[in-house]
Amino acid sequence: LAVMQGYELTTVAKLDSSHPVRVATDGVGKSTAAHATATGKAILAWLPETEITQIIAEKGLTRFTEHTITNIADLMEDLRLVRRNGFSLDREEFQPGVTCLGAAIRDHTGAVVGSISCSLPDSRADDEYLEQIKEKLRASANILSATLGSPKEPLRHQTDAA
C-alpha cells in the first residue's frame, strides 16, 4: 500500500508472500521511484500533468535498471496506458527479475489517494498468471476504494475524456 507524500512515494504497509521464492523489497518508507514502480505509476497516472512535471523536476527519472523509463514522453505514454487499462505494470523497471502490477485506490470524490501492488519474480510472471493477479488486484483496489466511499465508476482523467 503506497501513497504520495509531497513529491515522494511512501510505502505505508507491506505484506510478504508465503511463496518460498519471493521478491525481497524494502519495508515501509519513502522512495524517489514513483516513475519506476507499479504503485507509483498507479498514482501518477491520475495526477494533473503539471503535478507530474513538478514531481519529475524535483525527483528526476532515476535509472534503476536497463528497463527504467527515463524520459518524460515515454513516461507520459505509459501513464496514459495505465489510465486506459486500469492498472500499472512494472516489468523490471525498478528491480531486475521482478514484475509488479498496481492499481489505484480512490476516495469518496473519486480522487486517487493511494495504490496497491503485487510483486512477483519474473519466473512466475507468465501471461495467464499475470491476468489472474490483475483481476484480483483490481477487485481488491475496488473494495478498498468502496470502504473510502468511492463512486462505483471511477472518474475519468481529463485527457481521457472523449
Side-chain angles (χ1 to χ4, degrees), residues 46 106 109-111 150-151 153-157:
W46 300 99
R106 298 172 181 280
T109 68
S150 177
E153 290 296 320
L155 302 177
R156 293 181 60 97
H157 191 273

Side-chain angles (χ1 to χ4, degrees), residues 42-55:
I43 296 170
L44 290 176
W46 300 99
L47 296 178
E49 191 169 326
T50 55
E51 195 170 339
I52 297 168
T53 304
Q54 288 174 337
I55 292 168

Side-chain angles (χ1 to χ4, degrees), residues 10-26:
T10 302
T11 301
V12 294
K14 181 183 143 214
L15 178 64
D16 285 324
S17 172
S18 60
H19 284 277
V21 176
R22 58 181 174 245
V23 174
T25 60
D26 294 335

